[in-house]
Amino acid sequence: MNGRTYTADAEPGDTVTIAGWLHETRDLGGIAFLILRDTSGKIQVKLEKDEMDDALVETGLDASRESVLKVEGDVKEEPRAPTGVEVVPTSIEVIAEAETQLPLDPSGKVDAELPTRLNNRTLDLRREEAKAVFEIRAEVLRAVREAFRSFAATEINTPKIVATGTEGGTELFPISYFGEEAFMNQSPQLFKQLMVGSGLERVFEIGPIFRAEEHNTPRHLNEATSIDFESAFFDHTEAMDVCEAVVKAAYEAVAENCERELEALGLDEEFAVPDGEFPRLTYEEAIQRINATGALDEQLVWGDDLPTEGEHALGQDVGEHYFITDWPSEIKPFYIKDHDDDETLSTGFDMMHPRMELVSGGQREHRYEELIAGFEQQGLDPEAFDYYTKMFKYGMPPHAGWGLGAERLIMTMLDLDNIREAVLFPRDRQRLSP
Ligand code: ATP
Ligand code: MG
């Protein structure tokens, strides 16, 4: 809209055109106030019934809540107004009317359940709190990109329609591709690895991953956003260094640039950028510490996956972000390299928030023969992955990398109860639209 001023930019003495949603009408008799809201904030519009044009006053007072209005007028200082200024209108126009029955209350006075919010995301995101999550999400992704660029990584985009899966068959979504079976990609794993052998060497991708997980949990989505990194000539410890730096960069950017959003979420006092190095525990130490908490009925033994309650107990015990390293080879995927001096130990690592896993990574198997053997051990047919394995015959450098769930990063950063709050339109067992 030509010449439109954001409400937050309206200064006393200005003549402005503002546009936004009618947040509230306060009719005090001789005088009435319209509170107009746009993406930048809210502003008071004053209606003086005896002094102003009747038609103008009537248009303002008749407008239903959440209708879109365009208001022209003069900005005056008014210490009693919520923002210290108000607009004295010379014209009010209803651009788009809202029905009086709304499926949820954007003023936030009436709480709505998450399914109602997700079914009416447009209205939900008129609430400052919900909107703040996505402003912060955008800032996190911006900061992460910048951090990767500072490490000289190149942003890539790999296919999401693929012929084979990487993380086992059960979590794949099959689709029909011109009569042939294809799948939605679970992870850019194999593609990003192929790039470390290309002239690019160090790459990152921020893109969707699709997992046909059957279970509905507060931390799983069927379509998630993965922040992936992979670098040639890196071992797992160097990959962990970058992982830690990227996560800290995200927190720092939010602390620095999202003051208003943190305030809207009630986090401005408690938001803390992780400081110091993330502790690096071996898997062995992790299971000992979990066992020592007494949180589990049965003691964990070497080779066990960490159950969710175990992760929680350990997270509480550690109390900050941490890595778990040196996993048993048998519980990490085939493409992860084992330690050279002990093949029962994997270079795979997880990076954890006290509440849950955020990252999995490791050094990769770059030696052709060992890679093929790994496929066979995992019960996968190496022939089906020929497009991938054959590149390991033409000079594939040692490399390492990781994948970080963007929604889990945001969920833990903002202490959200449910991962769905960090996605505009989540996909889960029950939800395919909107
Ligand atoms: P989990 O054991 O918690 O289900 P995972 O080990 O299966 O996760 P990975 O394959 O290691 O997941 O994926 C790397 C990262 O991607 C995870 O640490 C997580 O942050 C994110 N991620 C994976 N699957 C999902 C999902 N279904 N929903 C949201 N994020 C996910
Ligand atoms: Mg994992």
Side-chain angles (χ1 to χ4, degrees), residues 144-395:
V144 161
R145 279 198 169 86
E146 188 180 294
F148 280 129
R149 294 300 279 161
S150 78
F151 287 109
T154 305
E155 181 160 12
I156 58 169
N157 302 98
T158 62
K160 305 306 157 204
I161 301 175
V162 297
T164 53
T166 48
E167 319 284 310
T170 51
E171 290 182 7
L172 277 167
F173 279 116
I175 57 166
S176 162
Y177 191 70
F178 302 116
E180 265 186 67
E181 184 173 59
F183 303 95
M184 302 303 292
N185 204 16
Q186 293 171 304
S187 147
Q189 182 63 34
L190 303 188
F191 296 109
K192 68 177 177 172
Q193 281 190 260
L194 288 174
M195 288 304 99
V196 306
S198 79
L200 297 178
E201 286 196 27
R202 183 174 300 162
V203 295
F204 73 99
E205 176 164 9
I206 301 175
I209 57 170
F210 302 91
R211 308 253 171 136
E213 335 228 9
E214 300 271 337
H215 42 291
N216 247 332
T217 81
R219 63 193 166 90
H220 286 94
L221 295 161
N222 292 112
E223 177 175 354
T225 308
S226 186
I227 299 170
D228 273 89
F229 173 76
E230 201 72 25
S231 177
F233 306 106
F234 260 25
D235 67 14
H236 60 294
T237 64
E238 292 167 297
M240 285 192 274
D241 292 343
V242 172
C243 174
E244 188 170 327
V246 165
V247 168
K248 282 180 179 164
Y251 271 84
E252 275 159 16
V254 170
E256 206 168 300
N257 304 323
C258 300
E259 220 172 305
R260 175 180 160 198
E261 287 77 16
L262 290 173
E263 205 181 302
L265 290 163
L267 293 173
D268 45 326
E269 299 286 317
E270 64 206 67
F271 190 80
V273 178
D275 60 351
E277 283 180 12
F278 297 176
R280 296 182 183 189
L281 277 62
T282 64
Y283 165 87
E284 174 114 50
E285 289 165 341
I287 57 174
Q288 280 168 6
R289 276 177 81 158
I290 293 171
N291 287 340
T293 63
L296 301 182
D297 294 338
E298 267 183 57
Q299 297 274 291
L300 293 172
V301 295
W302 174 265
D304 286 345
D305 237 323
L306 304 187
T308 308
E309 318 84 78
E311 273 181 17
H312 284 160
L314 182 58
Q316 290 211 316
D317 196 22
V318 179
E320 58 181 318
H321 289 88
Y322 63 103
F323 288 97
I324 305 177
T325 66
D326 302 284
W327 290 75
S329 302
E330 71 220 39
I331 55 175
K332 282 290 170 187
F334 66 92
Y335 50 77
I336 307 265
K337 193 167 176 293
D338 298 332
H339 280 281
D340 287 330
D341 52 0
D342 183 353
E343 64 176 31
T344 65
L345 272 190
S346 147
T347 64
F349 62 82
D350 282 0
M351 199 277 280
M352 315 288 296
H353 178 275
R355 287 174 69 192
M356 72 193 75
E357 177 193 315
L358 299 185
V359 174
S360 281
Q363 187 174 342
R364 319 307 189 181
E365 183 52 75
H366 69 285
R367 299 162 300 179
Y368 182 76
E369 302 297 336
E370 282 79 357
L371 185 66
I372 297 291
F375 270 102
E376 281 159 357
Q377 270 162 27
Q378 195 139 336
L380 292 166
D381 175 13
E383 288 281 307
F385 294 88
D386 185 50
Y387 70 92
Y388 167 73
T389 55
K390 77 177 179 203
M391 291 303 149
F392 287 70
K393 294 192 282 192
Y394 310 134

Side-chain angles (χ1 to χ4, degrees), residues 94-171:
V94 178
I95 297 179
E97 210 173 327
E99 285 186 11
T100 50
Q101 290 289 324
L102 299 171
L104 69 79
D105 173 20
S107 79
K109 284 182 190 136
V110 186
D111 278 338
E113 300 286 336
L114 188 56
T116 307
R117 293 178 45 201
L118 296 176
N119 287 339
N120 301 281
R121 252 324 197 186
T122 308
L123 296 186
D124 183 42
L125 292 193
R126 290 182 193 172
R127 296 186 312 116
E128 242 186 301
E129 212 179 327
K131 170 179 173 261
V133 172
F134 293 92
E135 296 288 1
I136 290 173
R137 182 182 160 120
E139 178 61 13
V140 163
L141 295 182
R142 189 204 60 74
V144 161
R145 279 198 169 86
E146 188 180 294
F148 280 129
R149 294 300 279 161
S150 78
F151 287 109
T154 305
E155 181 160 12
I156 58 169
N157 302 98
T158 62
K160 305 306 157 204
I161 301 175
V162 297
T164 53
T166 48
E167 319 284 310
T170 51
E171 290 182 7

